Amino acid sequence: MEEPRKYKIEEEMNKLNLKNYKAASRVIPKHLKIAFNTFHNYRKLPVSGKADIPYATVRLLEGVFGLKDGELANYPIEMKTLDTLIREEARCQGEDEKKI
């Protein structure tokens, strides 16, 4: 079984008819100012992989496919506020001090 992909680019491309699919394969890389092979690689990124697409490019792709912010991602993104991160760090440092 194939590993899930990080982004829904392939799914969006597969929604197109053949004529538009071929056109999209040409014009999207030009619009993003990337090579065709780079676009092809973006489409195949596995969820567990470390490689990623630059944020600005993801936003452009969401616009190209008519998606809302964050809809291109095919995985949940854990979001924490700065206050939460600071509290968690303080808790960890407090535990470290108790171990000394």
Side-chain angles (χ1 to χ4, degrees), residues 1-85:
M1 189 171 139
E2 189 174 320
E3 184 176 1
R5 296 190 175 120
K6 195 174 274 193
Y7 296 98
K8 298 175 188 173
I9 300 169
E10 195 66 24
E11 291 91 328
E12 293 300 318
M13 292 290 289
N14 288 333
K15 290 178 184 178
L16 304 171
N17 63 36
L18 183 59
K19 181 180 176 183
N20 287 342
Y21 182 96
K22 287 181 178 183
S25 294
R26 282 189 321 273
V27 300
I28 291 174
K30 286 180 186 176
H31 176 66
L32 300 176
K33 297 181 175 102
I34 59 173
F36 171 81
N37 286 342
T38 302
F39 179 59
H40 180 73
N41 291 338
Y42 286 171
R43 294 163 60 173
K44 306 293 183 189
L45 289 174
V47 169
S48 64
K50 290 187 177 189
D52 212 338
I53 302 173
Y55 175 76
T57 303
V58 170
R59 294 291 296 124
L60 287 171
L61 283 167
E62 287 172 338
V64 165
F65 292 120
L67 302 172
K68 295 178 185 166
D69 294 355
E71 284 187 336
L72 191 66
N74 213 10
Y75 60 96
I77 299 172
E78 183 181 349
M79 296 174 48
K80 296 180 180 182
T81 65
L82 180 57
D83 287 341
T84 301
L85 294 171

